[in-house]
PDB file of all heavy atoms in Angstrom:
ATOM      1  N   GLN L  14       7.133   9.166  13.598  1.00 92.00           N
ATOM      2  CA  GLN L  14       8.307   8.325  13.366  1.00 92.00           C
ATOM      3  C   GLN L  14       7.999   6.857  13.635  1.00 92.00           C
ATOM      4  O   GLN L  14       8.442   5.976  12.895  1.00 92.00           O
ATOM      5  CB  GLN L  14       9.467   8.777  14.255  1.00 92.00           C
ATOM      6  CG  GLN L  14      10.095  10.081  13.807  1.00 92.00           C
ATOM      7  CD  GLN L  14      11.349  10.419  14.598  1.00 92.00           C
ATOM      8  OE1 GLN L  14      11.916   9.584  15.287  1.00 92.00           O
ATOM      9  NE2 GLN L  14      11.766  11.664  14.511  1.00 92.00           N
ATOM     10  N   LEU L  15       7.263   6.587  14.703  1.00 92.00           N
ATOM     11  CA  LEU L  15       6.925   5.201  15.044  1.00 92.00           C
ATOM     12  C   LEU L  15       6.053   4.565  13.972  1.00 92.00           C
ATOM     13  O   LEU L  15       6.257   3.403  13.588  1.00 92.00           O
ATOM     14  CB  LEU L  15       6.200   5.153  16.389  1.00 92.00           C
ATOM     15  CG  LEU L  15       6.991   5.638  17.613  1.00 92.00           C
ATOM     16  CD1 LEU L  15       6.101   5.672  18.842  1.00 92.00           C
ATOM     17  CD2 LEU L  15       8.208   4.763  17.846  1.00 92.00           C
ATOM     18  N   ILE L  16       5.094   5.335  13.462  1.00 94.00           N
ATOM     19  CA  ILE L  16       4.190   4.808  12.438  1.00 94.00           C
ATOM     20  C   ILE L  16       4.950   4.506  11.155  1.00 94.00           C
ATOM     21  O   ILE L  16       4.763   3.455  10.538  1.00 94.00           O
ATOM     22  CB  ILE L  16       3.031   5.802  12.174  1.00 94.00           C
ATOM     23  CG1 ILE L  16       2.117   5.892  13.406  1.00 94.00           C
ATOM     24  CG2 ILE L  16       2.220   5.381  10.954  1.00 94.00           C
ATOM     25  CD1 ILE L  16       1.110   7.036  13.345  1.00 94.00           C
ATOM     26  N   VAL L  17       5.822   5.435  10.745  1.00 96.00           N
ATOM     27  CA  VAL L  17       6.619   5.210   9.532  1.00 96.00           C
ATOM     28  C   VAL L  17       7.447   3.937   9.676  1.00 96.00           C
ATOM     29  O   VAL L  17       7.464   3.084   8.784  1.00 96.00           O
ATOM     30  CB  VAL L  17       7.535   6.422   9.230  1.00 96.00           C
ATOM     31  CG1 VAL L  17       8.530   6.073   8.125  1.00 96.00           C
ATOM     32  CG2 VAL L  17       6.707   7.635   8.832  1.00 96.00           C
ATOM     33  N   ARG L  18       8.134   3.800  10.794  1.00 95.00           N
ATOM     34  CA  ARG L  18       8.971   2.622  11.026  1.00 95.00           C
ATOM     35  C   ARG L  18       8.166   1.328  10.919  1.00 95.00           C
ATOM     36  O   ARG L  18       8.581   0.376  10.251  1.00 95.00           O
ATOM     37  CB  ARG L  18       9.617   2.715  12.412  1.00 95.00           C
ATOM     38  CG  ARG L  18      10.544   1.559  12.761  1.00 95.00           C
ATOM     39  CD  ARG L  18      10.768   1.485  14.257  1.00 95.00           C
ATOM     40  NE  ARG L  18       9.527   1.157  14.959  1.00 95.00           N
ATOM     41  CZ  ARG L  18       9.353   1.277  16.277  1.00 95.00           C
ATOM     42  NH1 ARG L  18      10.329   1.757  17.024  1.00 95.00           N
ATOM     43  NH2 ARG L  18       8.211   0.938  16.835  1.00 95.00           N
ATOM     44  N   ASP L  19       7.004   1.304  11.572  1.00 96.00           N
ATOM     45  CA  ASP L  19       6.203   0.075  11.586  1.00 96.00           C
ATOM     46  C   ASP L  19       5.598  -0.232  10.217  1.00 96.00           C
ATOM     47  O   ASP L  19       5.520  -1.398   9.815  1.00 96.00           O
ATOM     48  CB  ASP L  19       5.101   0.171  12.647  1.00 96.00           C
ATOM     49  CG  ASP L  19       5.656   0.089  14.064  1.00 96.00           C
ATOM     50  OD1 ASP L  19       6.844  -0.259  14.218  1.00 96.00           O
ATOM     51  OD2 ASP L  19       4.913   0.388  15.014  1.00 96.00           O
ATOM     52  N   LEU L  20       5.179   0.805   9.493  1.00 97.00           N
ATOM     53  CA  LEU L  20       4.621   0.588   8.159  1.00 97.00           C
ATOM     54  C   LEU L  20       5.680   0.044   7.204  1.00 97.00           C
ATOM     55  O   LEU L  20       5.409  -0.857   6.400  1.00 97.00           O
ATOM     56  CB  LEU L  20       4.025   1.883   7.609  1.00 97.00           C
ATOM     57  CG  LEU L  20       2.740   2.372   8.273  1.00 97.00           C
ATOM     58  CD1 LEU L  20       2.369   3.748   7.746  1.00 97.00           C
ATOM     59  CD2 LEU L  20       1.596   1.396   8.057  1.00 97.00           C
ATOM     60  N   LEU L  21       6.888   0.585   7.293  1.00 97.00           N
ATOM     61  CA  LEU L  21       7.973   0.087   6.445  1.00 97.00           C
ATOM     62  C   LEU L  21       8.284  -1.373   6.774  1.00 97.00           C
ATOM     63  O   LEU L  21       8.509  -2.187   5.885  1.00 97.00           O
ATOM     64  CB  LEU L  21       9.223   0.945   6.634  1.00 97.00           C
ATOM     65  CG  LEU L  21       9.163   2.365   6.058  1.00 97.00           C
ATOM     66  CD1 LEU L  21      10.363   3.170   6.530  1.00 97.00           C
ATOM     67  CD2 LEU L  21       9.095   2.338   4.538  1.00 97.00           C
ATOM     68  N   ARG L  22       8.259  -1.683   8.050  1.00 96.00           N
ATOM     69  CA  ARG L  22       8.534  -3.054   8.478  1.00 96.00           C
ATOM     70  C   ARG L  22       7.497  -4.028   7.916  1.00 96.00           C
ATOM     71  O   ARG L  22       7.802  -5.184   7.635  1.00 96.00           O
ATOM     72  CB  ARG L  22       8.541  -3.114  10.005  1.00 96.00           C
ATOM     73  CG  ARG L  22       8.912  -4.482  10.583  1.00 96.00           C
ATOM     74  CD  ARG L  22       8.845  -4.455  12.085  1.00 96.00           C
ATOM     75  NE  ARG L  22       9.832  -3.520  12.634  1.00 96.00           N
ATOM     76  CZ  ARG L  22       9.689  -2.896  13.800  1.00 96.00           C
ATOM     77  NH1 ARG L  22       8.595  -3.067  14.515  1.00 96.00           N
ATOM     78  NH2 ARG L  22      10.628  -2.078  14.235  1.00 96.00           N
ATOM     79  N   GLU L  23       6.270  -3.536   7.729  1.00 97.00           N
ATOM     80  CA  GLU L  23       5.196  -4.381   7.191  1.00 97.00           C
ATOM     81  C   GLU L  23       5.198  -4.418   5.668  1.00 97.00           C
ATOM     82  O   GLU L  23       4.329  -5.031   5.054  1.00 97.00           O
ATOM     83  CB  GLU L  23       3.841  -3.896   7.704  1.00 97.00           C
ATOM     84  CG  GLU L  23       3.627  -4.081   9.202  1.00 97.00           C
ATOM     85  CD  GLU L  23       3.644  -5.543   9.611  1.00 97.00           C
ATOM     86  OE1 GLU L  23       3.055  -6.372   8.880  1.00 97.00           O
ATOM     87  OE2 GLU L  23       4.277  -5.876  10.637  1.00 97.00           O
ATOM     88  N   GLY L  24       6.140  -3.735   5.040  1.00 97.00           N
ATOM     89  CA  GLY L  24       6.282  -3.809   3.598  1.00 97.00           C
ATOM     90  C   GLY L  24       5.553  -2.750   2.796  1.00 97.00           C
ATOM     91  O   GLY L  24       5.477  -2.844   1.563  1.00 97.00           O
ATOM     92  N   HIS L  25       5.020  -1.726   3.473  1.00 98.00           N
ATOM     93  CA  HIS L  25       4.314  -0.658   2.756  1.00 98.00           C
ATOM     94  C   HIS L  25       5.308   0.354   2.188  1.00 98.00           C
ATOM     95  O   HIS L  25       6.450   0.465   2.646  1.00 98.00           O
ATOM     96  CB  HIS L  25       3.337   0.049   3.694  1.00 98.00           C
ATOM     97  CG  HIS L  25       2.257  -0.838   4.220  1.00 98.00           C
ATOM     98  ND1 HIS L  25       1.234  -1.305   3.429  1.00 98.00           N
ATOM     99  CD2 HIS L  25       2.057  -1.371   5.461  1.00 98.00           C
ATOM    100  CE1 HIS L  25       0.434  -2.074   4.153  1.00 98.00           C
ATOM    101  NE2 HIS L  25       0.911  -2.135   5.384  1.00 98.00           N
ATOM    102  N   THR L  26       4.860   1.088   1.176  1.00 98.00           N
ATOM    103  CA  THR L  26       5.621   2.200   0.631  1.00 98.00           C
ATOM    104  C   THR L  26       5.139   3.462   1.325  1.00 98.00           C
ATOM    105  O   THR L  26       3.940   3.767   1.302  1.00 98.00           O
ATOM    106  CB  THR L  26       5.407   2.314  -0.885  1.00 98.00           C
ATOM    107  OG1 THR L  26       5.816   1.082  -1.499  1.00 98.00           O
ATOM    108  CG2 THR L  26       6.201   3.468  -1.465  1.00 98.00           C
ATOM    109  N   VAL L  27       6.051   4.186   1.950  1.00 98.00           N
ATOM    110  CA  VAL L  27       5.650   5.289   2.827  1.00 98.00           C
ATOM    111  C   VAL L  27       6.334   6.592   2.421  1.00 98.00           C
ATOM    112  O   VAL L  27       7.544   6.631   2.197  1.00 98.00           O
ATOM    113  CB  VAL L  27       6.001   4.976   4.299  1.00 98.00           C
ATOM    114  CG1 VAL L  27       5.536   6.112   5.217  1.00 98.00           C
ATOM    115  CG2 VAL L  27       5.382   3.649   4.736  1.00 98.00           C
ATOM    116  N   VAL L  28       5.522   7.649   2.368  1.00 98.00           N
ATOM    117  CA  VAL L  28       6.042   9.003   2.242  1.00 98.00           C
ATOM    118  C   VAL L  28       5.772   9.713   3.563  1.00 98.00           C
ATOM    119  O   VAL L  28       4.618   9.839   3.983  1.00 98.00           O
ATOM    120  CB  VAL L  28       5.373   9.790   1.095  1.00 98.00           C
ATOM    121  CG1 VAL L  28       5.872  11.232   1.083  1.00 98.00           C
ATOM    122  CG2 VAL L  28       5.655   9.132  -0.240  1.00 98.00           C
ATOM    123  N   GLY L  29       6.835  10.140   4.215  1.00 98.00           N
ATOM    124  CA  GLY L  29       6.691  10.908   5.449  1.00 98.00           C
ATOM    125  C   GLY L  29       6.849  12.379   5.151  1.00 98.00           C
ATOM    126  O   GLY L  29       7.793  12.785   4.477  1.00 98.00           O
TER     127      GLY L  29
END
Side-chain angles (χ1 to χ4, degrees):
Q14 287 187 15
L15 297 174
I16 292 169
V17 170
R18 181 199 65 194
D19 289 348
L20 289 173
L21 289 170
R22 184 182 296 153
E23 293 297 318
H25 297 289
T26 301
V27 182
V28 175

